[in-house]
């Protein structure tokens, strides 16, 4: 048996974002400098996971609320795009590489999660194929760089969970959300609109298609801000909005609901919204992005 450390390579560097550490650092700094740290310190953030040319500027608004001085662990919950998964999965890696510096997985928390019997182990191949967690690694590294030796990460791949499973995982993770030294990063884009996404909902009363998309997304964002998992489920059932991180968001909302039962006061605020392009006709397509933060009082 070799004791080689298992590393997850930055497999999307060079395509979804630059593989050059210095270039990446400059880009992230540029986007973060344009954002206001208006409401931090965040206990959780929702941010997009598209290529940085599309959503880097949007994501900065969420990461700007992170306080590296108090954060010791960053949980990253991302949806599974490529493998069918009905539960949540943990990585086989110990180190996640980024062009900035390597991030260390918290093996103690992983052992505790593993003991619950609620998690599967994904293969390294599945881990490296998936972009939903990776797209948050450079931003996490950048936000935490002043304390880069003092924190670890807890990546969790979230499957297509039933509502009751979202509740179970929310309950399980709520004790970690209650701890001010933890940060939760919820990886999600918003509406994927167009024939290539098989989703073309259009409310003509809103005017142009892109306005209808914005109205639909902002309705969902408003419901997320209410922090009510049932309302969010009902919204998704009614409009089928193609929010790819709906299950990670559902887990967060259920974790919040669990803490609220115990009298913890929290509120969620979206800080930025963007679309990859403005759809005006049926041939067009776009993906929407939103960034927001959960604050615990």
């Amino acid at each position: 048996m070799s004791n080689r450390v298992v590393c997850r390579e930055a497999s999307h560097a060079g395509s979804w974002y630059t593989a050059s550490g210095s270039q990446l650092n400059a880009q992230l700094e540029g986007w973060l400098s344009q954002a206001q740290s208006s409401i931090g310190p965040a206990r959780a953030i929702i941010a997009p996971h598209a290529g940085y040319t599309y959503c880097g500027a949007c994501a900065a608004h969420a990461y700007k609320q992170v306080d590296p001085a108090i954060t010791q662990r960053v949980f990253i919950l991302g949806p599974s795009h490529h493998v069918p998964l009905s539960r949540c999965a943990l990585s086989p890696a110990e180190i996640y590489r980024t062009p900035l510096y390597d991030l260390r997985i918290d093996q103690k928390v992983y052992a505790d999660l593993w003991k619950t019997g609620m998690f599967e182990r994904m293969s390294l191949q599945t881990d490296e194929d998936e972009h939903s967690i990776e797209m948050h690694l450079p931003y996490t590294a950048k936000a935490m760089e002043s304390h880069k030796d003092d924190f670890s990460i807890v990546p969790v791949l979230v499957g297509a969970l039933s509502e009751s499973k979202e509740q179970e995982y929310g309950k399980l993770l709520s004790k970690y959300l209650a701890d001010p030294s933890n940060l939760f990063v919820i990886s999600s884009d918003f509406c994927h609109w167009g024939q290539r996404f098989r989703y073309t909902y259009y409310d003509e009363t809103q005017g142009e298609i892109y306005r209808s998309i914005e109205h639909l997304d902002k309705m969902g964002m408003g419901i997320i801000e209410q922090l009510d998992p049932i309302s969010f489920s009902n919204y998704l059932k009614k409009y089928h909005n193609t929010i790819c991180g709906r299950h990670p968001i559902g887990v967060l909302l259920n974790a919040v609901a669990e803490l609220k039962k115990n009298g913890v006061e929290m509120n969620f605020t979206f800080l930025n919204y963007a679309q990859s392009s403005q759809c005006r006709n049926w041939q067009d397509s776009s993906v929407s992005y939103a960034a927001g933060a959960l604050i615990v009082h």
Side-chain angles (χ1 to χ4, degrees):
M1 284 289 288
S2 72
N3 284 344
R4 266 194 29 232
V5 174
V6 181
C7 295
R8 181 201 183 281
E9 296 303 328
S11 48
H12 293 73
S15 51
W16 290 57
Y17 56 96
T18 177
S20 152
S22 56
Q23 214 177 341
L24 183 58
N25 187 53
Q27 282 176 350
L28 295 172
E29 246 163 44
W31 289 318
L32 286 163
S33 72
Q34 299 295 306
Q36 307 297 310
S37 55
S38 45
I39 60 166
R43 185 73 55 87
I45 60 175
I46 293 175
H49 55 235
Y52 281 178
T53 48
Y54 296 105
C55 76
C58 174
H61 293 268
Y63 278 96
K64 191 78 170 202
Q65 317 312 318
V66 173
D67 182 354
I70 60 171
T71 306
Q72 290 170 9
R73 242 170 262 98
V74 182
F75 287 72
I76 307 172
L77 276 57
S80 174
H81 286 87
H82 305 297
V83 295
L85 185 64
S86 64
R87 302 200 298 165
C88 290
L90 304 178
S91 171
E94 292 158 77
I95 298 289
Y96 270 20
R97 294 202 189 286
T98 84
L100 301 177
Y101 58 90
D102 293 348
L103 303 178
R104 191 171 42 85
I105 291 186
D106 193 308
Q107 294 302 330
K108 186 187 176 319
V109 172
Y110 252 28
D112 291 344
L113 294 178
W114 191 244
K115 275 201 282 258
T116 63
M118 290 168 67
F119 292 84
E120 296 175 25
R121 184 77 70 186
M122 60 177 133
S123 68
L124 191 59
Q125 183 69 55
T126 293
D127 200 354
E128 289 184 348
D129 286 348
E130 181 55 63
H131 62 275
S132 74
I133 293 172
E134 181 180 341
M135 296 310 293
H136 289 281
L137 303 177
Y139 253 120
T140 297
K142 183 63 188 164
M144 293 299 297
E145 70 182 341
S146 62
H147 289 69
K148 69 174 180 199
D149 300 321
D150 307 328
F151 82 101
S152 53
I153 61 168
V154 183
V156 178
L157 189 63
V158 178
L161 307 180
S162 62
E163 281 174 61
S164 61
K165 281 220 179 94
E166 285 180 4
Q167 210 173 350
E168 282 171 38
Y169 284 106
K171 217 172 238 184
L172 172 70
L173 294 172
S174 65
K175 69 169 189 187
Y176 298 103
L177 184 65
D179 181 344
S181 67
N182 292 332
L183 167 73
F184 276 72
V185 173
I186 306 299
S187 176
S188 186
D189 298 336
F190 274 71
C191 185
H192 296 60
W193 193 94
Q195 286 163 5
R196 72 193 186 99
F197 299 119
R198 296 192 291 282
Y199 186 75
T200 51
Y201 170 86
Y202 178 35
D203 173 0
E204 289 171 20
T205 64
Q206 297 303 318
E208 296 272 17
I209 292 172
Y210 71 88
R211 295 261 185 229
S212 163
I213 296 168
E214 178 171 356
H215 183 255
L216 177 71
D217 279 331
K218 289 198 167 162
M219 202 191 311
M221 290 156 66
I223 288 166
I224 291 167
E225 287 181 336
Q226 292 166 19
L227 297 173
D228 176 17
I230 293 163
S231 300
F232 186 57
S233 288
N234 291 340
Y235 161 82
L236 290 171
K237 281 179 197 147
K238 183 172 179 183
Y239 296 101
H240 304 284
N241 192 0
T242 41
I243 300 172
C244 54
R246 58 188 172 274
H247 298 297
I249 293 170
V251 171
L252 174 70
L253 294 179
N254 278 285
V256 165
E258 192 61 29
L259 294 186
K260 278 167 97 176
K261 277 187 212 163
N262 303 327
V264 180
E265 279 189 44
M266 289 165 281
N267 67 297
F268 192 96
T269 310
F270 277 102
L271 302 158
N272 189 257
Y273 174 78
Q275 294 175 350
S276 59
S277 59
Q278 292 188 334
C279 293
R280 289 187 162 82
N281 64 57
W282 296 104
Q283 280 66 55
D284 293 344
S285 67
S286 70
V287 179
S288 310
Y289 314 114
L294 178 81
I295 309 301
V296 179
H297 301 296

